Amino acid sequence: VISDHDAIRTLNQRYARAADERDVDALALLFTPDATVDGARGAQTIAEWLDTMRSPRSWPTSMHVLGDPLIVLAGDTAHVDTYAVVHQLADPTSEQADLTLGIRYLDDLVRVADRWAIKARTARTLWMR
Amino acid sequence: VISDHDAIRTLNQRYARAADERDVDALALLFTPDATVDGARGAQTIAEWLDTMRSPRSWPTSMHVLGDPLIVLAGDTAHVDTYAVVHQLADPTSEQADLTLGIRYLDDLVRVADRWAIKARTARTLWMR
Amino acid sequence: VISDHDAIRTLNQRYARAADERDVDALALLFTPDATVDGARGAQTIAEWLDTMRSPRSWPTSMHVLGDPLIVLAGDTAHVDTYAVVHQLADPTSEQADLTLGIRYLDDLVRVADRWAIKARTARTLWMR
């Protein structure tokens, strides 16, 4: 048995790995079925957002480096505020440039059976380079 | 109830958010009243340091991305060593350039009632770009 | 007494500090005597890898900024997957340029008496700049 804080940090890291591997099935497990994602493409249902993750990538590989999250627990819900630096990496043989983004994830989580899941995510891009 | 390690990580993240929002009242709550800060402006009392945080910013926005801290607990005190990358972001409509700094925070913490607070901070800038 | 998750995060941070200080004795304590390291120099025994850490550095200073690790515990073993950004810093008075690397550490850990140690590390460089 691990603490809620550690379970939530694990959720964050599973998100990073699944996003970088474009493992859409693994991503789907991290959200509730009625989750919403509000990010670069505006407000989306989780089904719409997962569809965009299935589409061809603009950069072939990525690395989501997440800082330690700010976790505020309230019983079976939690608010999680995570700073991330996302490295979008070009194919080195192409002329495409890498893109690095500073992103803040603001997530509402709920406890679902024995795990935590994201019910609402707002992803704000703070900078890109 | 959360563990001391998690309470200290939360303190770190509250510092990052308060520094980025220039919320001086929130910053003051993270230090003891007799705290000292030794950083880019030399050794300061917490009152002097908070005054510098109230003055106009050289960059309009910032993002303090903190790595996981190295925490050494000793009863009601703790030593916390945190690597941070601080993104100082220019107004995109200006000609000012962004500045990125690598900073190491070396903090002595004390337990005060039901929370942890910074009693002495040394902030060393390792690089800037 | 701290949790296994916190002990493993502490191991990660002790690695970062010892690597940055080139403290080879401190590094040796973080691995089992029969550990293997598979990285930029190919597969090495821990003795061989420590020897390379004793040799002159290509950059005089470094800063290993580690993201939060993905930890999967299984009794007295653990698998730890950590994203890191390593800043290799040139002497500012030289003409050498800084080098920044994105590295993924995939570690098999074992519990040894009252601590955790790395038994096998794979370090993959994802990008450099």
Side-chain angles (χ1 to χ4, degrees), chain A residues 78-93:
Chain A
H79 187 71
V80 181
D81 175 350
T82 309
Y83 280 173
V85 177
V86 179
H87 301 267
Q88 297 282 7
L89 305 168
D91 174 346
T93 66

PDB file of all heavy atoms in Angstrom, chain A residues 78-93:
ATOM      1  N   ALA A  78      -8.698  15.387  -5.152  1.00  0.00           N
ATOM      2  CA  ALA A  78      -7.412  16.062  -4.979  1.00  0.00           C
ATOM      3  C   ALA A  78      -7.245  17.074  -6.086  1.00  0.00           C
ATOM      4  O   ALA A  78      -7.763  16.894  -7.206  1.00  0.00           O
ATOM      5  CB  ALA A  78      -6.259  15.052  -5.009  1.00  0.00           C
ATOM      6  N   HIS A  79      -6.548  18.165  -5.759  1.00  0.00           N
ATOM      7  CA  HIS A  79      -6.166  19.135  -6.780  1.00  0.00           C
ATOM      8  C   HIS A  79      -4.654  19.033  -6.936  1.00  0.00           C
ATOM      9  O   HIS A  79      -3.927  19.069  -5.932  1.00  0.00           O
ATOM     10  CB  HIS A  79      -6.587  20.551  -6.380  1.00  0.00           C
ATOM     11  CG  HIS A  79      -6.347  21.531  -7.485  1.00  0.00           C
ATOM     12  ND1 HIS A  79      -7.113  21.548  -8.638  1.00  0.00           N
ATOM     13  CD2 HIS A  79      -5.417  22.490  -7.658  1.00  0.00           C
ATOM     14  CE1 HIS A  79      -6.661  22.485  -9.441  1.00  0.00           C
ATOM     15  NE2 HIS A  79      -5.624  23.069  -8.875  1.00  0.00           N
ATOM     16  N   VAL A  80      -4.205  18.905  -8.175  1.00  0.00           N
ATOM     17  CA  VAL A  80      -2.783  18.687  -8.445  1.00  0.00           C
ATOM     18  C   VAL A  80      -2.324  19.726  -9.461  1.00  0.00           C
ATOM     19  O   VAL A  80      -2.929  19.879 -10.531  1.00  0.00           O
ATOM     20  CB  VAL A  80      -2.539  17.255  -8.962  1.00  0.00           C
ATOM     21  CG1 VAL A  80      -1.056  17.019  -9.210  1.00  0.00           C
ATOM     22  CG2 VAL A  80      -3.083  16.235  -7.958  1.00  0.00           C
ATOM     23  N   ASP A  81      -1.267  20.438  -9.117  1.00  0.00           N
ATOM     24  CA  ASP A  81      -0.730  21.545  -9.913  1.00  0.00           C
ATOM     25  C   ASP A  81       0.720  21.186 -10.226  1.00  0.00           C
ATOM     26  O   ASP A  81       1.567  21.151  -9.335  1.00  0.00           O
ATOM     27  CB  ASP A  81      -0.838  22.814  -9.058  1.00  0.00           C
ATOM     28  CG  ASP A  81      -0.209  24.053  -9.680  1.00  0.00           C
ATOM     29  OD1 ASP A  81       0.484  23.944 -10.692  1.00  0.00           O
ATOM     30  OD2 ASP A  81      -0.405  25.132  -9.088  1.00  0.00           O
ATOM     31  N   THR A  82       1.002  20.899 -11.508  1.00  0.00           N
ATOM     32  CA  THR A  82       2.318  20.380 -11.895  1.00  0.00           C
ATOM     33  C   THR A  82       2.951  21.253 -12.961  1.00  0.00           C
ATOM     34  O   THR A  82       2.343  21.515 -13.998  1.00  0.00           O
ATOM     35  CB  THR A  82       2.190  18.939 -12.452  1.00  0.00           C
ATOM     36  OG1 THR A  82       1.457  18.126 -11.534  1.00  0.00           O
ATOM     37  CG2 THR A  82       3.556  18.319 -12.697  1.00  0.00           C
ATOM     38  N   TYR A  83       4.183  21.674 -12.704  1.00  0.00           N
ATOM     39  CA  TYR A  83       4.966  22.364 -13.721  1.00  0.00           C
ATOM     40  C   TYR A  83       5.692  21.297 -14.548  1.00  0.00           C
ATOM     41  O   TYR A  83       6.280  20.363 -13.984  1.00  0.00           O
ATOM     42  CB  TYR A  83       6.016  23.257 -13.070  1.00  0.00           C
ATOM     43  CG  TYR A  83       5.533  24.598 -12.564  1.00  0.00           C
ATOM     44  CD1 TYR A  83       6.389  25.410 -11.828  1.00  0.00           C
ATOM     45  CD2 TYR A  83       4.263  25.082 -12.830  1.00  0.00           C
ATOM     46  CE1 TYR A  83       5.997  26.665 -11.370  1.00  0.00           C
ATOM     47  CE2 TYR A  83       3.850  26.331 -12.371  1.00  0.00           C
ATOM     48  CZ  TYR A  83       4.725  27.121 -11.643  1.00  0.00           C
ATOM     49  OH  TYR A  83       4.337  28.358 -11.187  1.00  0.00           O
ATOM     50  N   ALA A  84       5.690  21.470 -15.860  1.00  0.00           N
ATOM     51  CA  ALA A  84       6.345  20.505 -16.738  1.00  0.00           C
ATOM     52  C   ALA A  84       7.130  21.225 -17.816  1.00  0.00           C
ATOM     53  O   ALA A  84       6.740  22.306 -18.265  1.00  0.00           O
ATOM     54  CB  ALA A  84       5.303  19.612 -17.401  1.00  0.00           C
ATOM     55  N   VAL A  85       8.242  20.628 -18.204  1.00  0.00           N
ATOM     56  CA  VAL A  85       8.961  21.074 -19.392  1.00  0.00           C
ATOM     57  C   VAL A  85       8.897  19.918 -20.387  1.00  0.00           C
ATOM     58  O   VAL A  85       9.340  18.807 -20.086  1.00  0.00           O
ATOM     59  CB  VAL A  85      10.418  21.468 -19.073  1.00  0.00           C
ATOM     60  CG1 VAL A  85      11.145  21.867 -20.363  1.00  0.00           C
ATOM     61  CG2 VAL A  85      10.447  22.626 -18.079  1.00  0.00           C
ATOM     62  N   VAL A  86       8.284  20.190 -21.530  1.00  0.00           N
ATOM     63  CA  VAL A  86       8.063  19.152 -22.533  1.00  0.00           C
ATOM     64  C   VAL A  86       9.011  19.394 -23.700  1.00  0.00           C
ATOM     65  O   VAL A  86       9.002  20.471 -24.309  1.00  0.00           O
ATOM     66  CB  VAL A  86       6.593  19.151 -23.008  1.00  0.00           C
ATOM     67  CG1 VAL A  86       6.378  18.082 -24.076  1.00  0.00           C
ATOM     68  CG2 VAL A  86       5.655  18.928 -21.821  1.00  0.00           C
ATOM     69  N   HIS A  87       9.837  18.393 -23.958  1.00  0.00           N
ATOM     70  CA  HIS A  87      10.790  18.464 -25.061  1.00  0.00           C
ATOM     71  C   HIS A  87      10.200  17.703 -26.247  1.00  0.00           C
ATOM     72  O   HIS A  87      10.018  16.490 -26.165  1.00  0.00           O
ATOM     73  CB  HIS A  87      12.127  17.837 -24.657  1.00  0.00           C
ATOM     74  CG  HIS A  87      12.768  18.495 -23.464  1.00  0.00           C
ATOM     75  ND1 HIS A  87      13.676  19.510 -23.576  1.00  0.00           N
ATOM     76  CD2 HIS A  87      12.584  18.308 -22.136  1.00  0.00           C
ATOM     77  CE1 HIS A  87      14.038  19.917 -22.365  1.00  0.00           C
ATOM     78  NE2 HIS A  87      13.389  19.195 -21.480  1.00  0.00           N
ATOM     79  N   GLN A  88       9.860  18.426 -27.309  1.00  0.00           N
ATOM     80  CA  GLN A  88       9.372  17.807 -28.554  1.00  0.00           C
ATOM     81  C   GLN A  88      10.587  17.700 -29.467  1.00  0.00           C
ATOM     82  O   GLN A  88      11.184  18.729 -29.826  1.00  0.00           O
ATOM     83  CB  GLN A  88       8.268  18.662 -29.201  1.00  0.00           C
ATOM     84  CG  GLN A  88       7.023  18.815 -28.350  1.00  0.00           C
ATOM     85  CD  GLN A  88       6.118  17.576 -28.382  1.00  0.00           C
ATOM     86  OE1 GLN A  88       6.475  16.539 -28.939  1.00  0.00           O
ATOM     87  NE2 GLN A  88       4.955  17.705 -27.767  1.00  0.00           N
ATOM     88  N   LEU A  89      10.959  16.470 -29.813  1.00  0.00           N
ATOM     89  CA  LEU A  89      12.245  16.231 -30.463  1.00  0.00           C
ATOM     90  C   LEU A  89      12.066  15.875 -31.928  1.00  0.00           C
ATOM     91  O   LEU A  89      11.314  14.948 -32.269  1.00  0.00           O
ATOM     92  CB  LEU A  89      12.986  15.108 -29.736  1.00  0.00           C
ATOM     93  CG  LEU A  89      13.163  15.364 -28.234  1.00  0.00           C
ATOM     94  CD1 LEU A  89      13.634  14.101 -27.534  1.00  0.00           C
ATOM     95  CD2 LEU A  89      14.142  16.512 -28.003  1.00  0.00           C
ATOM     96  N   ALA A  90      12.781  16.614 -32.775  1.00  0.00           N
ATOM     97  CA  ALA A  90      12.729  16.368 -34.210  1.00  0.00           C
ATOM     98  C   ALA A  90      13.565  15.138 -34.564  1.00  0.00           C
ATOM     99  O   ALA A  90      14.457  14.731 -33.815  1.00  0.00           O
ATOM    100  CB  ALA A  90      13.251  17.584 -34.964  1.00  0.00           C
ATOM    101  N   ASP A  91      13.268  14.562 -35.707  1.00  0.00           N
ATOM    102  CA  ASP A  91      14.125  13.527 -36.286  1.00  0.00           C
ATOM    103  C   ASP A  91      15.461  14.206 -36.594  1.00  0.00           C
ATOM    104  O   ASP A  91      15.509  15.190 -37.342  1.00  0.00           O
ATOM    105  CB  ASP A  91      13.446  13.036 -37.576  1.00  0.00           C
ATOM    106  CG  ASP A  91      14.310  12.049 -38.346  1.00  0.00           C
ATOM    107  OD1 ASP A  91      15.515  11.922 -38.061  1.00  0.00           O
ATOM    108  OD2 ASP A  91      13.764  11.402 -39.251  1.00  0.00           O
ATOM    109  N   PRO A  92      16.587  13.699 -36.042  1.00  0.00           N
ATOM    110  CA  PRO A  92      17.872  14.402 -36.236  1.00  0.00           C
ATOM    111  C   PRO A  92      18.300  14.477 -37.697  1.00  0.00           C
ATOM    112  O   PRO A  92      19.127  15.313 -38.045  1.00  0.00           O
ATOM    113  CB  PRO A  92      18.872  13.576 -35.409  1.00  0.00           C
ATOM    114  CG  PRO A  92      18.112  12.512 -34.719  1.00  0.00           C
ATOM    115  CD  PRO A  92      16.695  12.516 -35.200  1.00  0.00           C
ATOM    116  N   THR A  93      17.747  13.622 -38.547  1.00  0.00           N
ATOM    117  CA  THR A  93      18.131  13.660 -39.968  1.00  0.00           C
ATOM    118  C   THR A  93      17.260  14.647 -40.753  1.00  0.00           C
ATOM    119  O   THR A  93      17.478  14.848 -41.938  1.00  0.00           O
ATOM    120  CB  THR A  93      18.001  12.256 -40.611  1.00  0.00           C
ATOM    121  OG1 THR A  93      16.612  11.884 -40.618  1.00  0.00           O
ATOM    122  CG2 THR A  93      18.788  11.216 -39.830  1.00  0.00           C
TER     123      THR A  93
END
